[in-house]
Amino acid sequence: MSNDDLDLLLEDLKSPTERVRQEATQQLWQRWFHQKGIMGLELLQKAQILLESGEAAEAEAILTRAIATFPDFAEAWNRRAVLYYLLKNYRKAIADCQQVLRLNPVHFGALHGLGLCYAALGDYSAAIDAFRKALEIQPHAIENQRLLLECTAKLS
């Protein structure tokens, strides 16, 4: 997929038509998960299965290995950030989200995760900033709109 295709998908995220937004979102996630081909995808899938079966340490080891093998694999960093968030290790999750965004500045999932982590730590200003950035990419994301309002209310 070319950069022109990426630009079109990012524009589709702003479409007034929900179906167009959903299709663009799906294609972006597919692009991100498949960035490193079958090997990268299989590592992500294996880590997810382990995480869902309660084997977080094993899932973390696989994701860390994927990152060591493919340091520019943004989705491996993102999946590990999700794992850290679920384990309530918010500082590690934030560090991984920031790495995702260095590699892929339009990764709305990492921006959402960053906002969740900052909110969990009570840093509502930083959470608001992350949710706003996510909404710049995906303006119709109801969950980020809601979280932005919740964090704003906590500051007042």
Side-chain angles (χ1 to χ4, degrees):
M1 187 177 283
S2 72
N3 281 340
D4 289 342
D5 293 335
L6 174 63
D7 291 341
L8 289 173
L9 289 174
L10 291 171
E11 276 308 306
D12 283 350
L13 292 177
K14 297 175 171 117
S15 170
T17 307
E18 184 176 356
R19 185 190 53 73
V20 171
R21 294 191 308 266
Q22 288 175 341
E23 177 76 18
T25 300
Q26 184 68 27
Q27 286 185 36
L28 285 164
W29 280 115
Q30 185 169 0
R31 176 183 179 144
W32 296 340
F33 271 83
H34 289 86
Q35 179 192 354
K36 295 299 176 185
I38 295 295
M39 184 177 170
L41 179 62
E42 286 177 353
L43 289 169
L44 297 181
Q45 290 172 332
K46 187 172 183 180
Q48 186 63 32
I49 290 166
L50 288 166
L51 182 59
E52 289 172 3
S53 64
E55 299 176 64
E58 293 84 352
E60 179 185 9
I62 286 174
L63 291 169
T64 299
R65 187 177 68 204
I67 288 165
T69 305
F70 305 113
D72 63 338
F73 190 8
E75 198 53 40
W77 290 95
N78 190 54
R79 294 289 100 201
R80 194 173 71 174
V82 169
L83 180 146
Y84 288 147
Y85 174 80
L86 293 172
L87 296 175
K88 299 184 180 353
N89 194 334
Y90 304 121
R91 300 268 177 226
K92 281 187 171 183
I94 287 168
D96 279 4
C97 285
Q98 289 170 336
Q99 181 60 28
V100 174
L101 294 167
R102 279 190 284 279
L103 295 167
N104 182 358
V106 296
H107 198 299
F108 49 81
L111 286 164
H112 173 79
L114 201 56
L116 290 175
C117 290
Y118 283 129
L121 292 171
D123 187 346
Y124 299 113
S125 294
I128 288 167
D129 184 55
F131 293 132
R132 278 189 181 141
K133 287 177 181 169
L135 285 166
E136 287 172 14
I137 299 165
Q138 243 187 344
H140 297 280
I142 301 297
E143 180 70 2
N144 286 333
Q145 293 172 12
R146 182 184 65 74
L147 290 164
L148 177 67
L149 290 173
E150 284 180 13
C151 290
T152 302
K154 291 192 185 216
L155 281 182
S156 51

